[in-house]
Amino acid sequence: MRPFETKVWGIVKGIQAGYVMTYGQVAKQADSPDAAQAVGNAMSKAKDEDPSVPWWRVVRADGVISEDAPTEQRELLRSEGVTFLSGDRIDLAKHQWRG
C-alpha cells in the first residue's frame, strides 16, 4: 500500500456514520488538493482490501454517489440515515462531514 492510500484511508475512517465527504475534501485533508481522482482510486482499493474503511461515505462534489457500486453505496448510506435529494444525489447541506 502506498503512503497516500494509507493517509486517505485514515481520513475516511474518521467520517462518522450518517455523514459523507467529497473526494476533493478528502484530497485536501490529505495535503493533495488536486488528487480527487486518486482518492477515488484509493476508495476502490479499500472496498476490496480493507473492510474497515467506510468507502461508501465518499461522494462526488455535487453529492452524487459512485457509479461503480451505486446500489450498494446507496443502501449503506440509507442504513446510516443519509437522505437523498433526487436519484443518487445526497443532501450535502445536511450530511457533509466538516470534522
Side-chain angles (χ1 to χ4, degrees):
M1 183 181 347
R2 296 185 346 232
F4 179 76
E5 291 168 350
T6 302
K7 193 170 197 177
V8 165
W9 290 5
I11 292 165
V12 173
K13 286 179 181 181
I15 306 169
Q16 290 183 358
Y19 292 93
V20 298
M21 286 179 78
T22 66
Y23 295 105
Q25 279 181 288
V26 175
K28 188 173 181 180
Q29 281 200 7
D31 299 320
S32 300
D34 297 325
Q37 186 172 2
V39 170
N41 293 337
M43 291 302 91
S44 292
K45 275 186 150 182
K47 186 174 185 243
D48 296 328
E49 295 179 21
D50 187 345
S52 72
V53 178
W55 60 267
W56 59 90
R57 296 183 187 148
V58 183
V59 299
R60 293 183 351 194
D62 60 1
V64 174
I65 62 175
S66 170
E67 296 173 3
D68 293 336
T71 302
E72 183 180 9
Q73 188 174 19
R74 187 182 317 104
E75 289 175 7
L76 288 165
L77 289 168
R78 281 192 175 141
S79 74
E80 295 180 350
V82 173
T83 54
F84 289 76
L85 295 172
S86 61
D88 289 335
R89 191 161 52 112
I90 292 166
D91 184 352
L92 288 178
K94 185 176 180 181
H95 298 288
Q96 191 165 21
W97 180 249
R98 307 207 192 284

